[in-house]
Amino acid sequence: MTTPSWDLSIAYQSLTDNKIEQDVALIQQCITVLNQHVDRREMVGVMQNAIQTKEAAGKLLATINTFAQCHASIDAANAEAKTLIGRLAKLSSQLMQAYTPYQDSLAFAPIEFIQQVLEHESGDVYGQAFSIACERRVADTKLSIAEEQLLAAMQVDGRDAWGRMYDNITGALQIDIGEGETLGFSQAASLLYGSEFEKQERVWRGIQSAMATHQESFAAILNALSGWRHTEYQKRSYQRQVHFLDASLHASHILPTTLDTMIETTKLNRHIGQKAGRLMAQVHGLSEMKPWNHLAGMPSLNDQGSSEISFEQAIELIKTAFAGVDQEMADFVDMMMENGWIDAKPTENRRLGAYCTKFAATRSPLVFMTWGGSRSDLLTLAHELGHAFHNWVMRDMPLCQTRYPMTLAETASIFAENIVRDYLLSKANTPEEKLEMLWEELSSAYALMINIPVRYEFEKAFYERRQQGELSAQQLCELMSQTWQEWYGDSMTEADPYFWASKLHFSISEISFYNYPYLFGYLFSIGVYAQRESKGENFYRDYVNLLRDTGSMMAEDVVERHLGMDLSQADFWQQSINMIDEKLSQFELLLSQNR
């Protein structure tokens, strides 16, 4: 088996497939229909038809966009893909504008009207109950219909253009790593996750140099995105003050007290994350971790070096681990491979990171990553397959009920990582092998209990200061360094000043505060995973039912229904942190015995 590339033919044959133009024409027809009947939207039947029309158009639009984005991910310089993405952005804006009057009516209409609308046989309609309820909760922040339409129209070439600019710069970026060697940004970044330790400082400094070269552009992107959002929130504050976190909380389906409690509890326990870093430094033979090796694999304890994992080996390991929960999960991995729904082959101009997406029209999940052969890559693959499995178990539900928030999206992905970690640990025969498996627990704790809060608190402080004016690249570097040192402490005294530029999450135009859901998902999934042993044979079905609820409930309600706990209480988060601490102590004991 070679490292796979996508087979996207289930959607379209190519970027020039005539079917794309046919589907674009159908979307345009849907927009026309919505505009034609807007004056009759107070009629139940008209509203029901409008919802179905919008869902049909949205499904086609999402499918074409996913197809184009997949091609752009493989080659960020693909001109056809970029052109199509730009067209679709405008088409999406037009669809949003056409549906805005209907959305406005759903937000403000009497509840009796809403109930009548939802009494429909189509899941596209009755499945809207939760999303309509969410929109009605923020009705007092809505602008007039004309203003909402204007905002949607301007986002395409305003807010979202900045995000495209970041993708274009980083997709074409070449990193000089010294000794006459240059790499694409994604390939260079992937080396920081591997075990070529002698290269990592050179790679990191090469990335720092590239970020410094483009720092004015990257600072302009962050300032423009945050400035746009501040202006929008100010305009929406005509009835009550809209905080810059409100949009993120609304999208995450959580309450402010939940976020505050999670961050506060994690901060009180940051010594545990720092402990993970100090233990990792011991294995590296260092007094502390460095910004170029905190993501790296574990150094060999017997001077034999870390063995490279083939993609075929990784798939077999994941399948076997998943089968330990239920054979359906292992069969799902086979299906992903057989259908060509995983792309992991390194390519030039490849975009950064890893993700899971899907074709809305066929409910086909798709996984993207760059395979490097490290244990970190193995867990990244498991992580993204967890996302894909989450999508797959919801494939029979109305599409509108499958739009789960990022907070709950990370449940299945991190759960999948835990399955693979525990399987590898159970198969370890020597103390050295056990340490290698537990290393992944350290790495996750360090990344998710320290690095993710750094991102959140940096972004929060940035948004607070941005209200008074733009921040220079130097000020952004200083703010990142201050936040970095506050969380990392003596486990890593050298900061990563350009992390605000190199981490693409800060420059995603559609979403602010992209990062804290990873901490939420990490701690939440540990709580879910802890039930695996106690529930026994009932666990798998309960787990699938939990996943199926994630798109139609607030996160607090999902936890109360399936775990019987309260997210606003520190106890929920502390129980997971205590389990993490136990894993770290297990590593510490084994390490001391092996020295």
Side-chain angles (χ1 to χ4, degrees), residues 149-160:
Q149 290 173 322
L150 178 62
L151 185 62
M154 294 183 66
Q155 283 175 351
V156 179
D157 295 315
R159 184 197 69 183
D160 295 345

Side-chain angles (χ1 to χ4, degrees), residues 76-239:
N78 188 317
E80 286 182 342
K82 288 195 285 187
T83 299
L84 182 55
I85 290 167
R87 283 183 64 198
L88 295 171
K90 290 189 176 182
L91 196 58
S92 177
S93 174
Q94 291 167 7
L95 177 61
M96 189 183 306
Q97 292 172 63
Y99 190 65
T100 293
Y102 300 93
Q103 198 169 27
D104 187 79
S105 293
L106 290 171
F108 293 102
I111 192 64
E112 293 78 14
F113 177 77
I114 303 301
Q115 291 169 343
Q116 289 177 332
V117 168
L118 294 173
E119 290 175 0
H120 194 278
E121 62 182 10
S122 169
D124 285 343
V125 180
Y126 72 71
Q128 299 284 341
F130 176 68
S131 62
I132 291 174
C134 289
E135 287 302 307
R136 289 173 73 86
R137 280 198 290 270
V138 295
D140 58 352
T141 69
K142 288 188 175 296
L143 304 173
S144 69
I145 293 173
E147 288 171 324
E148 292 284 2
Q149 290 173 322
L150 178 62
L151 185 62
M154 294 183 66
Q155 283 175 351
V156 179
D157 295 315
R159 184 197 69 183
D160 295 345
W162 293 101
R164 293 195 298 273
M165 178 181 176
Y166 182 88
D167 288 342
N168 292 337
I169 293 173
T170 55
L173 206 57
Q174 293 294 304
I175 307 298
D176 182 356
I177 65 171
E179 300 182 3
E181 187 176 1
T182 59
L183 294 171
F185 190 16
S186 66
Q187 289 177 300
S190 69
L191 287 175
L192 299 178
Y193 291 84
S195 55
E196 295 184 62
F197 305 115
E198 73 285 351
K199 275 188 175 181
Q200 285 170 344
E201 182 175 358
R202 286 194 288 118
V203 169
W204 181 77
R205 295 201 182 281
I207 291 173
Q208 292 289 296
S209 177
M211 296 302 108
T213 298
H214 294 277
Q215 64 178 340
E216 296 305 324
S217 296
F218 292 138
I221 290 168
L222 257 64
N223 278 302
L225 289 174
S226 57
W228 175 287
R229 290 172 184 137
H230 274 311
T231 300
E232 179 184 340
Y233 303 152
Q234 184 182 26
K235 296 297 182 184
R236 294 188 180 280
S237 298
Y238 63 96
Q239 289 194 46

Side-chain angles (χ1 to χ4, degrees), residues 407-544:
T407 39
L408 297 173
E410 294 308 314
T411 305
S413 55
I414 297 175
F415 178 85
E417 283 189 57
N418 286 333
I419 293 170
V420 174
R421 275 202 206 96
D422 274 6
Y423 171 75
L424 294 173
L425 185 59
S426 72
K427 295 301 178 183
N429 295 315
T430 67
E432 290 85 358
E433 289 178 345
K434 289 180 180 178
L435 283 167
E436 287 179 6
M437 298 309 109
L438 285 167
W439 173 272
E440 302 304 333
E441 300 285 353
L442 269 67
S443 182
S444 292
Y446 205 38
L448 291 157
M449 287 189 65
I450 301 295
N451 192 265
I452 292 297
V454 165
R455 302 180 200 184
Y456 169 73
E457 293 215 327
F458 162 81
E459 194 166 8
K460 186 169 180 282
F462 166 58
Y463 269 76
E464 288 168 349
R465 290 176 59 176
R466 180 64 180 84
Q467 290 172 321
Q468 280 73 55
E470 293 192 359
L471 276 70
S472 67
Q474 185 57 39
Q475 288 174 313
L476 289 165
C477 286
E478 290 170 358
L479 181 58
M480 178 57 75
S481 296
Q482 291 166 7
T483 313
W484 193 277
Q485 288 165 357
E486 181 181 359
W487 278 86
Y488 278 97
D490 62 5
S491 72
M492 189 195 307
T493 57
E494 182 172 355
D496 187 341
Y498 282 103
F499 190 64
W500 59 270
S502 63
K503 178 49 70 174
L504 64 89
H505 293 170
F506 296 118
S507 296
I508 297 174
S509 62
E510 297 88 353
I511 305 170
S512 60
F513 292 90
Y514 185 92
N515 291 288
Y516 70 78
Y518 286 96
L519 175 60
F520 184 106
Y522 176 57
L523 298 178
F524 177 54
S525 66
I526 289 172
V528 172
Y529 189 72
Q531 294 191 324
R532 182 181 171 187
E533 185 175 346
S534 61
K535 287 195 172 185
E537 293 182 358
N538 295 325
F539 173 78
Y540 178 69
R541 286 301 151 201
D542 288 349
Y543 172 61
V544 169

Side-chain angles (χ1 to χ4, degrees), residues 363 393-402 548-549 552:
R363 304 297 184 92
V393 300
M394 303 177 86
R395 66 191 182 279
D396 62 316
M397 299 170 63
L399 188 62
C400 56
Q401 290 185 333
T402 69
R548 287 170 64 86
D549 275 344
S552 54

